[in-house]
């Protein structure tokens, strides 16, 4: 009986393989050393970064097509331009694809399934908006995530009902681009309308400039990190050292951050744990800071039209000073509004002292103009 079952499985696998066609786009390998830089400039491509253990950078890019998609193949390759070269110890990768190849808003389900669940998706997001999250739960959320809240919602539904027919995506192709890089290589990325995932910890200097791109990182630990991102999604288990700028970001989820100068605008930011020495300047964002590490030392925040959400403040042993101007404080189910002062100066609206005979865990200094502070 067993050989018969294996034969059926073999036939199924063979039929699936025959129903798709693999087309190679780019395949290269380059020898590198401790002084090599990988310089990437990409549009409309999905890339997965993995660690290389043989002192080489490996580029492997191909597209998988449905067998009955000759018109699709023509459109794809008509709008695809990928090349790489090594010069002066810099490996340069350039991929300029048309919007036809973009995958930011593609779904692995049918349109009818999407329409049926669209209301539930947004009600679920709204329901979970103010809930407290531990650092560990946020890390699990990052590990599970495919990117957008919509993708995560359907991923969960598929896992709960694996045998249900969710329809088929209208797309007849899928990009596969894997880059293997030694950890000691410095990486610079400029990206547009793309998806990027790192499956290893970045330990070297990391420079990023992006627009409408979805990112998923493990740990970013280099000494001189510089990250600028707008109109996209950014998820990372941990960021240590450097400067970050986020503008109009749809989703930012970070497990832990420390030694960071952080500027944000009109974004939704969730941070599992604030570590040592974090400075945050914000305009008109929604900020969810769930926990502070035991020895975070100091956290400074200046916000204008910001909504700041803090959790478990009364249980923690650190000092806090909050100054506000035209700001609302929601605490212990009590709402207090602090209007404009005559001289338009910031007034102290909240103070928290270290518990008697206890060693301070650190200090939180907050300045809010035209803002909202929610203490849970």
């Amino acid at each position: 009986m067993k050989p018969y079952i294996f034969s059926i499985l073999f036939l199924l696998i063979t039929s699936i393989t025959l129903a798709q066609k693999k087309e190679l786009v780019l395949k290269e390998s380059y020898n590198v050393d401790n002084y090599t830089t990988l310089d990437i400039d990409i549009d409309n491509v999905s890339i997965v970064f993995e660690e290389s253990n043989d002192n080489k950078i490996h580029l492997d890019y191909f597209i998988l097509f449905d067998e009955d998609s000759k018109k699709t193949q023509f459109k794809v390759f008509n709008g695809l331009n990928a090349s790489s070269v090594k010069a002066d110890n810099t490996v340069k990768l350039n991929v300029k694809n048309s919007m036809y190849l973009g995958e930011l808003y593609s779904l692995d389900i049918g349109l009818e399934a999407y329409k049926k669940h669209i209301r539930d998706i947004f009600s679920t997001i709204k329901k979970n908006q103010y809930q407290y999250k531990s650092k560990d739960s946020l890390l699990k959320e990052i590990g599970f995530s495919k990117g957008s809240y919509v993708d995560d919602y359907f991923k969960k539904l598929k896992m709960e009902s694996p045998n249900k027919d969710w329809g088929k995506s209208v797309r007849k192709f899928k990009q596969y681009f894997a880059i293997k890089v030694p950890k000691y290589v410095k990486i610079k990325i400029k990206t547009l309308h793309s998806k990027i995932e790192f499956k290893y910890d970045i330990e070297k200097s990391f420079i990023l400039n992006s627009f409408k791109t979805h990112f998923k990182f493990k740990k970013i630990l280099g000494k001189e990190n510089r990250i600028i991102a707008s109109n996209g999604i950014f998820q990372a288990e941990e960021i240590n050292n450097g400067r970050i700028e986020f503008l109009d970001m749809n989703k930012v989820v970070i497990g832990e951050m420390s030694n960071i100068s952080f500027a944000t605008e009109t974004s939704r930011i969730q941070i599992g744990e604030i570590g040592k020495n974090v400075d945050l300047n914000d305009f008109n964002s929604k900020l969810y800071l769930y926990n502070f590490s035991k020895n975070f030392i100091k956290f400074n925040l200046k916000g204008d039209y910001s909504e700041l959400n803090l959790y478990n403040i009364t249980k923690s042993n650190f000092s806090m000073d909050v100054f506000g101007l035209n700001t609302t404080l929601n605490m212990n189910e009590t709402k207090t509004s602090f209007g404009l002062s005559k001289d338009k100066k910031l007034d102290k609206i909240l103070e928290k002292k270290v518990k008697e005979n206890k060693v301070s865990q650190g200090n939180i200094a907050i300045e809010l103009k035209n803002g909202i502070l929610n203490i849970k």
Side-chain angles (χ1 to χ4, degrees):
M1 190 66 184
K2 287 184 179 179
Y4 174 72
I5 293 173
F6 290 142
S7 297
I8 291 175
L9 289 174
F10 175 76
L11 288 172
L12 286 173
I13 293 169
T14 303
S15 63
I16 292 170
T17 303
L18 291 174
Q20 295 179 315
K21 185 178 181 181
K22 178 179 176 180
E23 293 288 348
L24 183 65
V25 178
L26 180 68
K27 191 174 183 66
E28 296 286 352
S29 294
Y30 299 97
N31 292 315
V32 296
D33 56 37
N34 288 318
Y35 304 100
T36 302
T37 297
L38 175 59
D39 191 348
I40 297 173
D41 188 352
I42 58 173
D43 293 358
N44 294 291
V45 64
S46 296
I47 300 178
V48 174
F49 285 81
E50 299 174 346
E51 183 182 0
S52 172
N53 295 310
D54 63 358
N55 298 317
K56 291 182 179 181
I57 291 176
H58 300 278
L59 310 175
D60 190 6
Y61 184 17
F62 67 90
I63 300 177
L64 199 63
F65 293 95
D66 290 352
E67 195 64 38
D68 60 343
S69 57
K70 291 184 178 179
K71 290 183 179 179
T72 301
Q73 292 181 45
F74 175 79
K75 288 181 180 179
V76 167
F77 282 102
N78 191 48
L80 189 155
N81 187 350
S83 63
S84 66
V85 66
K86 183 181 179 184
D88 298 326
N89 211 11
T90 296
V91 176
K92 293 186 177 182
L93 171 66
N94 191 291
V95 182
K96 300 295 181 180
N97 293 340
S98 70
M99 289 292 289
Y100 184 76
L101 277 82
E103 295 188 353
L104 287 188
Y105 308 108
S106 62
L107 291 169
D108 292 329
I109 60 165
L111 185 59
E112 291 304 315
Y114 174 77
K115 289 179 179 178
K116 183 179 178 180
H117 288 272
I118 188 65
R119 289 185 179 179
D120 292 336
I121 294 169
F122 290 104
S123 64
T124 300
I125 294 171
K126 188 175 182 180
K127 180 181 177 182
N128 296 331
Q129 188 172 14
Y130 295 105
Q131 290 183 353
Y132 166 75
K133 298 178 183 179
S134 67
K135 175 185 169 182
D136 288 341
S137 68
L138 206 66
L139 290 174
K140 288 180 181 178
E141 183 179 316
I142 294 169
F144 176 85
S145 180
K146 292 185 67 178
S148 70
Y149 290 112
V150 174
D151 287 336
D152 293 348
Y153 178 86
F154 282 110
K155 180 181 178 180
K156 184 177 180 181
L157 285 187
K158 284 183 175 183
M159 291 177 67
E160 293 172 348
S161 304
N163 298 321
K164 185 174 180 178
D165 183 7
W166 294 98
K168 187 178 180 181
S169 173
V170 296
R171 304 193 67 172
K172 293 181 175 290
F173 69 92
K174 180 71 175 177
Q175 296 187 72
Y176 291 89
F177 198 161
I179 299 180
K180 291 186 177 181
V181 189
K183 280 189 174 183
Y184 54 75
V185 170
K186 179 180 178 181
I187 299 177
K188 296 171 62 177
I189 299 178
K190 182 181 178 182
T191 175
L192 173 69
H193 292 110
S194 297
K195 281 187 177 181
I196 291 178
E197 179 178 1
F198 276 79
K199 292 192 172 182
Y200 67 93
D201 297 340
I202 300 174
E203 298 177 354
K204 197 76 171 181
S205 174
F206 179 67
I207 299 174
L208 171 68
N209 196 320
S210 74
F211 178 74
K212 284 191 176 180
T213 295
H214 295 182
F215 295 98
K216 184 174 179 178
F217 296 93
K218 295 189 78 64
K219 297 180 180 181
I220 302 175
L221 305 174
K223 293 183 178 180
E224 298 177 354
N225 302 306
R226 185 77 168 93
I227 296 171
I228 303 174
S230 61
N231 294 88
I233 291 173
F234 187 98
Q235 299 184 97
E237 293 180 2
E238 181 182 341
I239 305 178
N240 195 338
N241 302 311
R243 178 167 175 78
I244 302 173
E245 294 180 28
F246 287 145
L247 172 64
D248 295 330
M249 294 293 282
N250 303 318
K251 176 182 178 183
V252 175
V253 184
I254 300 171
E256 177 185 352
M257 64 162 46
S258 56
N259 302 311
I260 294 291
S261 177
F262 199 11
T264 59
E265 184 174 334
T266 54
S267 300
R268 188 174 188 272
I269 316 288
Q270 298 182 74
I271 301 175
E273 185 174 278
I274 298 292
K276 294 182 179 180
N277 304 325
V278 176
D279 289 294
L280 198 161
N281 284 272
D282 175 68
F283 176 78
N284 197 30
S285 296
K286 291 187 176 182
L287 309 167
Y288 302 83
L289 311 182
Y290 297 114
N291 305 279
F292 290 81
S293 66
K294 292 182 178 180
N295 298 297
F296 71 92
I297 301 178
K298 65 176 181 177
F299 170 71
N300 299 322
L301 183 146
K302 293 182 179 179
D304 195 0
Y305 293 96
S306 305
E307 180 185 320
L308 174 61
N309 297 274
L310 301 177
Y311 299 79
N312 296 329
I313 294 297
T314 57
K315 298 178 183 178
S316 302
N317 192 40
F318 49 70
S319 59
M320 181 170 71
D321 296 294
V322 181
F323 290 83
L325 175 68
N326 194 32
T327 291
T328 299
L329 171 64
N330 295 312
M331 182 177 178
N332 299 326
E333 299 183 355
T334 301
K335 179 178 180 180
T336 308
S337 296
F338 299 86
L340 291 169
S341 60
K342 292 182 180 180
D343 52 7
K344 294 184 179 182
K345 289 185 178 180
L346 291 161
D347 294 321
K348 182 176 283 191
I349 63 175
L350 186 66
E351 181 180 14
K352 179 182 180 297
K353 295 183 179 180
V354 178
K355 295 177 183 178
E356 191 174 350
N357 299 322
K358 295 288 184 179
V359 178
S360 174
Q361 292 176 319
N363 176 256
I364 297 174
I366 296 172
E367 294 182 8
L368 284 178
K369 296 179 182 178
N370 313 300
I372 299 173
L373 173 58
N374 298 313
I375 295 181
K376 307 292 184 179

